[in-house]
Amino acid sequence: MKTMRVSGEPDAKPFLLDCDPGHDDMVAMMVAIAAADIELLGVTTVAGNQTGEKTALNARRVATLVGEHNLPIAKGCERPLYRELRTAPHIHGNSGLDGADLPEPTVALRPEHAVDFMERVILGSDRPVTLVPTGPLTNVAMLLRKAPQVRENIERIVLMGGSMHESNVTPVAEFNIFVDPEAADAVFTSGLPVTMVGLDLTYRALFGEEDFVRLEQSGGHVSAVVAPLLRFFAGAYEKRRGTRAAPLHDALAVAIARDPSLAETRNFHVAVETQGRYTTGQTVVDTRGVTGNPPNAEVAVEFDLQRFKSIIFEAIGCLDARPSPLG
Ligand code: RIB
Ligand code: CA
């Protein structure tokens, strides 16, 4: 197990996290911030789980909670490329991070738009950047359209989104893809290396009551906030999935981006439905090669749950060891 951040390792991998916090986005941020082998160049936010204002505020609050005072955070698109925004207050609450009081943010937003920030940071990186989107892909699609030259310095896009068989918004679609299917189509047809971490896996990346108790019993100030937040998140899923457990969708994407050995992937062609009357937002994964289309994504099909849970506890434990912003 690689150690968590005490100070960045010289060969740390440059990452950008594009997210819509969101409870599971929060944990994804924590893993990326804590990992010594990740150089987190910044966090960009997008409208999704909640409005653009709220997801940006939530990212600032998470950075404040964990003491990442110099984390560059830039706010992005307020709505999908062509469609009206669809949020998820029934899952994440009115704030987008309901369930506990987060500190008032002391980490400021960068003045530039997320897309401009991503362009500048990617083109300015001395090593190719791994881009981890965990919300609707609006910012990423805009980036590729505005500054196609960034393609030369993107190592891989490891996205949380889509599914082979599972769904959560419609009988066939996953939320991040459903909110902005045209943006997702732009990413999957970009020709860039893409890893898709979809619901088929992330619905198994579950944190339950025993995990919340373990967090609370740790006595850490970050754990003390994360536990009730994830209990809230688990409650929302209990109503829909029957089990009171929090699927850490986005944290799994970051963990796999950080260490691909955590998961098993298969090369499949993935198409995004943008015209279907009943199927818009579906990721059509050609697992049998019947379309004749060449594979365009590595689709995660298995992962090591125990290793994943250890990574989460180690990351939060590392952040617990920092000074509390609450004094
Ligand atoms: O469908 C789950 C995804 O949608 C996660 O990224 C969650 O945070 C929401 O954005
Ligand atoms: Ca998300």
Side-chain angles (χ1 to χ4, degrees):
M1 248 314 280
K2 292 190 175 77
T3 55
M4 286 292 170
R5 177 190 292 275
V6 175
S7 61
E9 293 175 354
D11 60 351
K13 288 164 67 173
F15 270 43
L16 272 177
L17 177 62
D18 185 68
C19 57
D20 61 337
H23 294 74
D24 53 326
D25 303 78
M26 167 190 72
V27 183
M29 282 183 66
M30 291 178 174
V31 174
I33 288 166
D37 50 3
I38 289 178
E39 182 188 1
L40 187 57
L41 301 177
V43 168
T44 50
T45 61
V46 66
N49 283 326
Q50 261 300 347
T51 63
E53 287 298 327
K54 291 180 179 180
T55 57
L57 174 60
N58 289 337
R60 296 171 60 208
R61 285 183 159 154
V62 171
T64 302
L65 171 69
V66 303
E68 194 72 4
H69 303 297
N70 300 318
L71 178 66
I73 302 174
K75 176 172 168 291
C77 296
E78 300 256 354
R79 52 164 296 193
L81 297 180
Y82 302 104
R83 299 170 187 261
E84 290 305 310
L85 175 63
R86 164 98 177 241
T87 57
H90 56 296
I91 301 290
H92 298 277
N94 183 54
S95 73
L97 265 179
D98 281 14
D101 292 330
L102 284 157
E104 281 308 303
T106 58
V107 178
L109 277 182
R110 290 299 163 104
E112 62 198 312
H113 189 280
V115 173
D116 298 327
F117 175 81
M118 294 161 97
E119 174 185 359
R120 177 171 61 81
V121 164
I122 292 169
L123 294 180
S125 175
D126 58 358
R127 289 164 295 152
V129 176
T130 297
L131 181 51
V132 186
T134 63
L137 290 158
T138 315
N139 286 343
V140 178
M142 290 286 278
L143 170 70
L144 296 177
R145 184 174 297 179
K146 173 182 188 278
Q149 64 274 30
V150 298
R151 299 164 52 90
E152 303 312 312
N153 213 26
I154 290 176
E155 174 76 19
R156 175 167 287 272
I157 297 175
V158 182
L159 62 91
M160 192 279 139
S163 63
M164 292 185 283
H165 311 294
E166 273 286 2
S167 65
N168 54 10
V169 185
T170 75
V172 295
E174 178 279 326
F175 180 81
N176 289 337
I177 308 299
F178 178 79
V179 168
D180 200 340
E182 287 79 13
D185 180 51
V187 172
F188 280 99
T189 57
S190 68
L192 286 167
V194 171
T195 297
M196 179 179 114
V197 182
L199 288 178
D200 312 277
L201 242 61
T202 64
Y203 265 143
R204 289 189 274 136
L206 294 172
F207 256 50
E209 186 57 28
E210 63 184 33
D211 303 309
F212 306 147
V213 170
R214 179 175 167 184
L215 286 172
E216 285 166 337
Q217 289 178 346
S218 74
H221 69 282
V222 175
S223 294
V225 176
V226 170
L229 283 168
L230 292 186
R231 269 206 185 88
F232 174 91
F233 189 40
Y237 272 91
E238 182 177 33
K239 297 184 189 108
R240 283 158 186 79
R241 306 262 311 168
T243 51
R244 188 175 179 78
L248 299 185
H249 309 284
D250 300 336
L252 183 57
V254 169
I256 291 171
R258 173 185 174 224
D259 181 356
S261 71
L262 187 63
E264 179 189 338
T265 61
R266 297 267 174 75
N267 268 325
F268 294 138
H269 183 270
V270 179
V272 178
E273 180 56 67
T274 61
Q275 308 294 327
R277 180 176 176 189
Y278 303 110
T279 56
T280 289
Q282 181 177 9
T283 46
V284 183
V285 183
D286 184 5
T287 57
R288 293 180 290 116
V290 296
T291 65
N293 295 317
N296 60 349
E298 290 195 22
V299 177
V301 293
E302 276 304 338
F303 77 110
D304 183 330
L305 176 61
Q306 291 318 309
R307 265 180 68 196
F308 170 67
K309 296 187 89 164
S310 302
I311 289 165
I312 301 301
F313 282 113
E314 193 167 346
I316 297 174
C318 166
L319 300 174
D320 275 334
R322 295 183 173 190
S324 166
L326 311 174

